[in-house]
Amino acid sequence: MTEVAVGPALPPDVDRQLEGLPPAELAIAVLTYNNAATVPAVLDAVRKGLEKHFAGAPSVLINVDAGSSDATVARLAEAGLPFVRAHHEAPASQLAAVPFHGVPGRGAALRLAAAVARRAGVRALLVLEADVTSVNAEWLERLARPVLEQNVDLVMPIHARHRYDGTITNLVVAPLVAAMFGRRLHQPLSGPRALSARLLERLAAETQWPQPGRSVADLWIIGTAIGAGLAVHEARLGRWRVESNTRTTDLPTMVAQTLGAAFATMEEYEDLWLATESGPPLPVDGPPVLPSDETVQIDVERMVGAFGRGLRDLGTIWEQVLAPETYGDVLSLDIEDLTRFRFPDDLWARVVYDFALGHHWSVVYRDHLLRSLVPLYLGRTAAFVLATRQRDAAAVESGLDAVAAAFARQKPYLVDRWR
Amino acid sequence: MTTSSARDWYKDAVFYEVHVKAYKDGNGDGIGDFAGLTESLDYVQELGVDCLWILPMYPSPLRDDGYDIADFYAIHPSYGTVEDFQKFLDAAHARGLRVITDLVMNHTSDQHPWFQASRSDPTSPYKDYYVWSPSDHRFADARIIFVDTERSNWTFDPVRREYYWHRFFSHQPDLNYDNPAVRRSMLDVMRFWLDRGLDGFRCDAVPYLVEREGTSCENLPETHAILKEFRAVIDQEYGGDRVLLAEANQWPEDVRHYFGNGDEFHMAFHFPLMPRLYLGLRLEDTRPITDIFTHTPPIPPACQWGLFLRNHDELTLEMVTNEERAFMYYAYAYEPDMKLNLGIRRRLAPLLDGDRRRVELLNCLLLTLPGSPIIYYGDEIGMGDNVYLGDRNGVRTPMQWSRDRNAGFSAVENGQLYLPVIADPVYGYEAVNVAAQARQPSSLLNTMRQLLAARRTSSVFGRGSIEFLRPRNSKVLAYLRRHGRETLLIVANLSAAPQPVELDLTAFAGATPIEMLGATAFPAIRSTPYFLSLGPHGFYWFRLERPGDSDEPFGIERTAI
């Protein structure tokens, strides 16, 4: 017998709630912060999903709340499902300015949800976001069934998104995370996911959970699951629609928070990525869902203009961050003629890696470093739009495959300079 | 890419000044220590500061709160060991925090083995480590700094039967920097700590290193030459990212020399600004503040002013005129016990009568005027002082963590604390503590966190130029900070009554002021005077956004992640 990890102690009020709880196989955790307007839609999907797909499996609804001042918690409590409520501590700064994922102290919320689910003895924990209103019954099935029936340990979503949605994810975070962990996930920062009891056990044994406010626990959980050799799948879900008043839409903030989280994860968990090699593609479950085809107004010229202003104004910072050769290649990009503007994938990968190294060595003040990447990101995004806007969906996909391949190809460049 | 760290990190940094003995007692002996400080780093990180400044931590008889160093190579036993210090330093670095420590270069304790050897053994290699003289008439033009306690800069030593020179207390003999062996020894001391990863030094009392007859013995060219020599060695051996911060309590034009051509100190305190902030606030008049900037010379690009509201010493009034000093005593030190030397020994909150609005206003100025702010521990929660504790002890009492015993600072019986906690009904630990303020969203602590977080969003605060606007209403301070393409506008009401103000912002016509703390867009600027009204001691931090600056509709923002 191996010793069972004790895991973190639960707050006494949560302990009391667990004592009276009937046994459950499936836990559904909803992480919340002032989401009273949107939790009814989430609850509706949960009820229908349980009824349609998991009628025989007893379940429990877990709410971990960051300190909502509206009716969020009450609405969840009235859902009529076996219910455990918990409150997690969130950094004060995140309560004032809510991070991109919408939940102040999301890492602490995930940790608490995982601990409650583990203590409830469930076989699968499904995590849902409280402000994503496009959730439906099928999401529950696609995420949880592989865990309950196929011995999968972590199921991550692939949402059907417009080709120019998620440009930070597609062009920066996903290729970076894929190169780090050696396995490509399409949307590593997306919130919904399902975790197995085995993964919960593994996480409970970890004492080095990310500090709140620094690395985002989501990335660490993915890296831990892959690093432990657990089975990770992706599941195709439908569209992803957020109705939130708190998630930021300020691009520099989004870039700083997401990339900052990835860089902080690299910094704190070198063992999860430095020596990791690429593995085979992860299995993807479910039929493809057609992405949204609504017309999107993208102002490429303005993006290239912002990139040009970055070249003019941020040279002093970029010069410190980028390797001389990389900086020279960036300076020689032709922005005068949009029909000829390109941003090669390998150059882009080296730019992002130089920023990772600049963050690692604190070459410039980290907040400013992250924000100074924004014009470069806009330049790369503009080049991506220019290269694909007349092409079909398959060309967009292969464009993203090429970006991911470049990040994987350039990884030794990063690793060599990291130590 | 260079692999050395950001060389000028200190230009963006906010410093947090901490007494090891006053912060947290980790081993339960009533005195704060490095173990306790290490435990408290989450709090420091969450506050949003970048660099800790640790007050003297060396073995010392503590007759000048550790500024009388008896061994440069060890940690005071009450605070722990060099290993404890190393653990603390590594833990701080792991959180992205930097650490500088105090270093007293000018003098040692009279208990230091160098001094003991110098006084007693004429054959010792240390015999010329100090400034000795058969008479007490040399250097007669040098002023006496601690006028309350010292009558002369010379004291007779009965063992050596000579006088030794001391600019501060008589138990702090000045080192003899004309002796090359002293300079080598001091560099070795610096190397010892820098080798451990320390990010720099706050160098105490630097104007006084060298003495010359017929001068004030302050700011001498020979002193600058020695400091430049130290800087060059440290830059060369440590890659140029270790910071040297000068304590030179002098007028700005004299302090200016301590920056050299960017080859002496990286930073120096701006002493004259601080009393004028209080003066401006009490007079409800912007002129004391704007005037001091017209008397502040430009400094080399890689250099930075250190700004502070309060520190571990008295609020020093050496750098104001006699008339201003009289007014300051009248306004802020109405009891004689509150005065010390040429200063006022009080903390920020009680100095401002506990007026939350004024505390926030002064912090607003601290964080937005050009320079790197230094926050004195406890002032972020509005701790009080106890002027009856003698010397400057009243502002060095235990950090108030909670309403538990000893303010959560230590688990010992009360009598064992190095100093009693503040326990009065207004500022005492039951009313003012971290635990309570952390829970209350509108507390001073959380307001400070928000201000610090807002400051982090722009490099203009640490690097931008300053340009004062001259509104007709002289109770309202308004200034532009510019760096690159970014422009900030700070408007602050020094008055306790609401004030209107009209600002000439025609150069920015078309731009929209975005209030930075709430991210609220204000009406766009036109070619007419821009009207604002401010509540009592209210302030605004605006980012002036020109059309096309940001929030640009690229079309990808809403769904970019």
Side-chain angles (χ1 to χ4, degrees), chain B residues 482-503:
Chain B
R482 298 198 218 205
H483 182 60
R485 290 170 63 248
E486 206 175 345
T487 304
L488 308 183
L489 166 67
I490 312 295
V491 189
N493 177 12
L494 301 182
S495 164
Q499 296 293 328
V501 67
E502 285 190 338
L503 300 172

Side-chain angles (χ1 to χ4, degrees), chain B residues 408-429:
Chain B
F409 161 78
S410 170
V412 293
E413 298 298 328
N414 306 31
Q416 276 177 267
L417 292 185
Y418 73 96
L419 280 177
V421 293
I422 304 291
D424 68 63
V426 179
Y427 302 107
Y429 67 94

Side-chain angles (χ1 to χ4, degrees), chain A residues 27-29 31 106 110 113 125-129 143 191-195:
Chain A
I28 296 143
L31 316 183
R106 180 177 160 91
L110 276 173
L125 166 65
L126 177 68
V127 180
L128 294 176
E129 291 168 293
L143 290 167
R193 74 264 317 274
L195 293 79

Side-chain angles (χ1 to χ4, degrees), chain A residues 161 165-166 168 309 313 362-363, chain B residues 1 6 485 552 559-561:
Chain A
R161 302 187 74 183
D165 276 1
I168 293 177
R309 284 199 300 278
D313 299 328
S362 287
V363 171
Chain B
M1 200 194 88
R485 290 170 63 248
E552 286 160 299
T559 56
I561 294 171

Side-chain angles (χ1 to χ4, degrees), chain B residues 251-369:
Chain B
W251 290 99
E253 48 267 42
D254 291 323
V255 175
R256 168 66 186 80
H257 298 296
Y258 288 90
F259 294 116
N261 297 313
D263 57 356
E264 199 168 318
F265 280 93
H266 303 81
M267 289 182 65
F269 294 110
H270 198 311
F271 277 98
L273 171 65
M274 178 265 308
R276 281 174 180 77
L277 293 176
Y278 292 93
L279 201 58
L281 181 59
R282 189 57 72 133
L283 292 170
E284 302 198 348
D285 186 346
T286 58
R287 271 163 296 196
I289 301 169
T290 53
D291 284 356
I292 196 64
F293 277 95
T294 60
H295 293 112
T296 300
I299 57 176
C303 295
Q304 180 74 311
W305 291 109
L307 309 183
F308 58 98
L309 296 174
R310 289 296 301 111
N311 61 22
H312 59 287
D313 280 329
E314 67 273 21
L315 190 167
T316 173
L317 300 178
E318 288 172 71
M319 293 299 126
V320 296
T321 64
N322 289 339
E323 187 185 330
E324 288 171 329
R325 187 179 305 131
F327 180 82
M328 289 287 283
Y329 279 142
Y330 161 76
Y332 290 108
Y334 40 86
E335 289 178 38
D337 279 327
M338 295 172 178
K339 296 182 198 172
L340 181 73
N341 298 321
L342 290 178
I344 302 174
R345 45 177 160 183
R346 312 216 58 198
R347 263 187 182 273
L348 179 64
L351 260 176
L352 303 176
D353 302 329
D355 182 338
R356 173 76 182 273
R357 287 171 174 159
R358 282 189 278 161
V359 170
E360 286 182 15
L361 177 65
L362 279 194
N363 275 302
C364 152
L365 300 180
L366 173 75
L367 297 182
T368 59
L369 285 167

Side-chain angles (χ1 to χ4, degrees), chain A residues 163-164 342 383-399:
Chain A
R163 58 169 66 181
Y164 301 135
R342 301 278 181 279
F384 179 69
V385 174
L386 287 168
T388 56
R389 65 178 162 187
Q390 307 293 345
R391 315 277 303 277
D392 60 12
V396 174
E397 274 313 305
S398 67

Side-chain angles (χ1 to χ4, degrees), chain A residues 29 198 208 242 267 341:
Chain A
R198 189 163 41 205
Q208 300 294 314
V242 178
E267 195 69 44
F341 178 59

